[in-house]
Amino acid sequence: MLGKIFTHENRLLQRDQTTWIVVTLFVALMMYAAVNGRQEQEQRQGVAAETITAYQTRVVEARHEAEALEATMRDERRSLDTYDWGSRHPYNVGSSMGHPVALPPTPLALFAVGQSDLYPTAYKVSAASSVALGQTDQLENPFKLLVGHFDLAFVILFLYPLLILALTFALTAAEKETGTLRLLLAQPVGLSTLVWAKVLSRSALIVGAALVLTVLAFVMTGAAFEGGWGRFGLWLVITSLYGAFWFGLALLVNAFGRSAATNAIILAVCWLAFVVILPSLINVVASTLYPVPSRMAFITAMREETTVAEQQSSESLAKFFQDHPEIAPLSDDEANFAMLRVVRDERIAEQLAPVMVRFVRQQERQQRFVRALGYLSPTLVTHRMLLDAAGTGPARHTAFLDQVDAFQATWQEHFVPKYFANVAFRSADYDIMPRFEYCEETPAEVLDRLVFPVLFLMLATALVGGYGLRQYRQYPVVE
């Protein structure tokens, strides 16, 4: 009987003009989001690739220039230990040229690119200053994090629930208001069977369309040929669970026997609360309980410390030589300049360390607070899971920054001794410079972050939907 009613409901949906409007709109939005996401990713990836390519070209040119200079010095029988500012100056190579690093995008990055502006994925590693000094972005409003570029994540989080609610706000209310529900139940069919058939037919249409369109986007944008099928499978699971929650919520609202108009208003309020109001309130509470030092205050402090360090440059360098008697001052002004820059940056980093510690500590507290209260909104939970599945979330970016910090320490260990030893950077040294290689997170690490949110969303769906089915036992068939 369930199968027959399911088939009948599908026929009714096919004849309903609202269904075609919803499906057409959904298809158009999903395809546009996929194309827009691909363009955004290609643009960002192109900028990073140009930076890396330009650096590699510069290294090749500098190496050839150093070889030519060394050949000339050999012909003139000059010592290869002498150098001028340029391709053989260690400070120029290690600090001025530096080493750009970039976080490679995952194949699913085009599905969720909204946080790319908040989490830069390319940095310049220098032996003279710390990358960490540039990490001063505050925790943004969770609602602002949701509203980013128009990508698939935006469609799933915002518009997907609205389309579901558009087809479920009058699940049984329409038949009840027209009097046909009593006639239907006069047949050998129970109310629970009828409700199940209605929910399954609509979920097969909307959730099925979401999954099929996601697969098409994955293939048409070329992401399927870049790998990432594990992340793609997680994305499909999360999309299905999120849709199931909204169907469960619609079922619960319909179970109280109110009119279709009343159901529509209640569901609209639920959408507004979960998607807009709760994220905003969570941000206000988090910012109030754990205020983060402002970015402008940090920039101002950094400028002040830089000015003081510049004014006290000679004293700082003299103190440095006093603390390191094994390093003698050099007569070469350029060599002393390189040392001075290193000493200056060390001083700035030491003076700004307390500010950075306060900033990082408060930021971590805010993030923990938002993650904990985020479970009040299934939309926030789903948003976090989609970002983790796409590889564009804060966890992967934090792991990338940890690798960048480790690489910078290696880079400084390689170049700073050359500054102090006043050693020329020879052409052969270009071949042994440290190279940054990003170590991708393992599938186990991604799954570990997603297990609890997935279980939570499954439990929330089961509770809401289960209570709705139970409430339907008391459904008033007649007004």
Side-chain angles (χ1 to χ4, degrees), residues 35-292:
V35 173
N36 191 56
R38 167 57 77 181
Q39 292 177 347
E40 185 68 27
Q41 182 192 13
E42 289 179 349
Q43 180 181 0
R44 295 180 182 279
Q45 194 172 358
V47 172
E50 289 178 2
T51 302
I52 299 297
T53 301
Y55 168 74
Q56 293 173 345
T57 302
R58 180 69 185 96
V59 168
V60 172
E61 294 175 349
R63 191 184 191 286
H64 291 165
E65 180 182 342
E67 289 177 344
L69 289 173
E70 290 169 1
T72 301
M73 295 172 71
R74 291 190 186 95
D75 293 340
E76 297 176 356
R77 295 184 178 181
R78 288 189 293 159
S79 173
L80 296 180
D81 292 332
T82 60
Y83 59 90
D84 295 322
W85 184 266
S87 59
R88 300 186 73 248
H89 198 299
Y91 184 85
N92 184 47
V93 179
S95 297
S96 299
M97 184 185 300
H99 188 298
V101 296
L103 175 64
T106 66
L108 238 65
L110 63 94
F111 282 11
V113 298
Q115 285 194 316
S116 299
D117 292 338
L118 301 178
Y119 300 111
T121 56
Y123 301 92
K124 176 184 175 182
V125 171
S126 171
S129 60
S130 172
V131 175
L133 294 180
Q135 308 310 305
T136 57
D137 292 326
Q138 292 191 41
L139 178 66
E140 297 290 344
N141 187 326
F143 177 66
K144 182 179 179 181
L145 298 183
L146 291 176
V147 183
H149 298 277
F150 194 88
D151 49 24
L152 286 178
F154 181 92
V155 175
I156 295 299
L157 293 168
F158 276 86
L159 307 180
Y160 181 43
L162 289 177
L163 300 179
I164 292 174
L165 301 183
L167 293 182
T168 55
F169 73 94
L171 203 60
T172 51
E175 286 87 349
K176 177 185 175 182
E177 292 171 359
T178 58
T180 58
L181 181 60
R182 183 169 54 176
L183 295 176
L184 288 173
L185 296 180
Q187 305 298 319
V189 58
L191 180 59
S192 60
T193 304
L194 179 64
V195 171
W196 266 112
K198 286 179 172 291
V199 171
L200 290 176
S201 60
R202 286 159 175 76
S203 61
L205 177 64
I206 299 298
V207 178
L211 299 181
V212 171
L213 292 172
T214 302
V215 172
L216 288 177
F218 191 56
V219 175
M220 292 175 59
T221 56
F225 306 103
E226 301 173 6
W229 285 92
R231 291 182 179 275
F232 181 66
L234 290 173
W235 183 281
L236 295 181
V237 171
I238 296 167
T239 301
S240 301
L241 288 175
Y242 188 55
F245 170 81
W246 285 101
F247 271 106
L249 182 62
L251 176 65
L252 176 61
V253 172
N254 278 272
F256 288 93
R258 301 182 181 91
S259 66
T262 303
N263 291 342
I265 294 174
I266 294 175
L267 290 173
V269 171
C270 291
W271 180 89
L272 189 66
F274 288 141
V275 177
V276 179
I277 297 177
L278 279 175
S280 299
L281 289 178
I282 291 172
N283 171 73
V284 171
V285 175
S287 301
T288 303
L289 294 179
Y290 307 107
V292 176

Side-chain angles (χ1 to χ4, degrees), residues 16-33:
D16 190 352
Q17 186 177 7
T18 303
T19 303
W20 290 105
I21 294 175
V22 169
V23 172
T24 302
L25 180 63
F26 197 29
V27 172
L29 292 174
M30 289 286 284
M31 292 298 99
Y32 174 74

